Amino acid sequence: MDQKILPAPASIKQFEKFLESPFEIGVILETHLAQIKHITNMAKIAKKQLFFHADLINGLKNDEYGTQYLCQEFKPFGIISTKSSVIQQAKKCNVISVQRMFMIDSHAIERSFKSIEKAEPDYIEVLPGSVTHMIKEVSERFNFPIFAGGLIRTAEEVEEALSAGAVSITTSKVELWEYYSQKLYSEK
């Protein structure tokens, strides 16, 4: 994936900004089941691809059956989850899988590492992404590309996370979308 910023809209207004942006891929974090069809249709019209965070879809159980339904019914670009069973089901459905890991303490990190080894996701999302030395450690331990998300507030922090080994940054900060949109236009 060759997109440094993955917009993660936190509201419908932000989702509309994403649809108008030059970014081709975005992340839908929190939504409810009844909105997915509308969101998916809007994205198709705008020629955008979506990752859905399966754990944060209200009204959909975040298990292999909910994942199978999400993949078959809405055909997302990718699925994000903390659960290895969801990741494995997404892979069975030929949907890109992103295993999210929260770095809250050493115990949580080790549990996440075991889950990642079991699920073998296509990508790992490290949170908070502002802890760049941990991005480097995860990158060195696993041969999966890394997304960094959470608590990245400035372009400098984006660049630090990318330098530490992340391939993309998931962010709801519209200011970062706008900054990197301008960089995209200036590079073309």
Side-chain angles (χ1 to χ4, degrees), residues 25-187:
I25 304 165
V27 177
I28 303 299
L29 294 175
E30 193 162 350
T31 189
H32 60 81
L33 190 56
Q35 290 179 317
I36 294 176
K37 186 174 186 177
H38 180 66
I39 288 169
T40 302
N41 287 339
M42 289 175 69
K44 281 183 184 173
I45 291 168
K47 294 182 172 61
K48 305 291 184 183
Q49 298 285 335
L50 299 175
F51 281 100
F52 279 100
H53 193 310
D55 302 354
L56 300 178
I57 299 174
N58 295 308
L60 182 73
K61 190 169 181 183
N62 62 337
D63 63 7
E64 55 271 14
Y65 301 109
T67 305
Q68 186 176 21
Y69 172 76
L70 187 62
C71 292
Q72 290 176 353
E73 189 68 24
F74 302 105
K75 298 173 181 36
F77 182 71
I79 297 289
I80 300 171
S81 180
T82 57
K83 293 183 154 193
S84 57
S85 62
V86 170
I87 297 303
Q88 290 168 327
Q89 185 61 47
K91 289 178 68 164
K92 285 180 187 173
C93 293
N94 294 315
V95 171
I96 294 173
S97 62
V98 181
Q99 187 146 1
R100 196 175 229 203
M101 66 176 288
F102 292 99
M103 300 182 299
I104 56 174
D105 60 27
S106 297
H107 182 67
I109 291 169
E110 284 307 313
R111 266 197 339 254
S112 291
F113 285 171
K114 287 178 184 171
S115 183
I116 289 165
E117 288 167 353
K118 178 181 177 184
E120 298 184 349
D122 298 303
Y123 293 86
I124 299 169
E125 183 180 22
V126 173
L127 288 104
S130 58
V131 184
T132 54
H133 71 278
M134 287 304 301
I135 294 170
K136 186 172 174 53
E137 182 178 323
V138 173
S139 178
E140 290 171 352
R141 181 165 178 165
F142 295 103
N143 196 25
F144 305 116
I146 295 174
F147 296 163
L151 301 178
I152 296 176
R153 299 180 183 142
T154 66
E156 293 79 22
E157 291 171 334
V158 168
E159 295 303 324
E160 288 171 11
L162 293 169
S163 293
V167 297
S168 292
I169 308 301
T170 59
T171 183
S172 296
K173 289 204 63 84
V174 174
E175 298 85 4
L176 291 175
W177 306 357
E178 291 168 348
Y179 176 79
Y180 281 91
S181 291
Q182 292 172 359
K183 281 187 81 166
L184 279 173
Y185 283 127
S186 67
E187 291 172 0

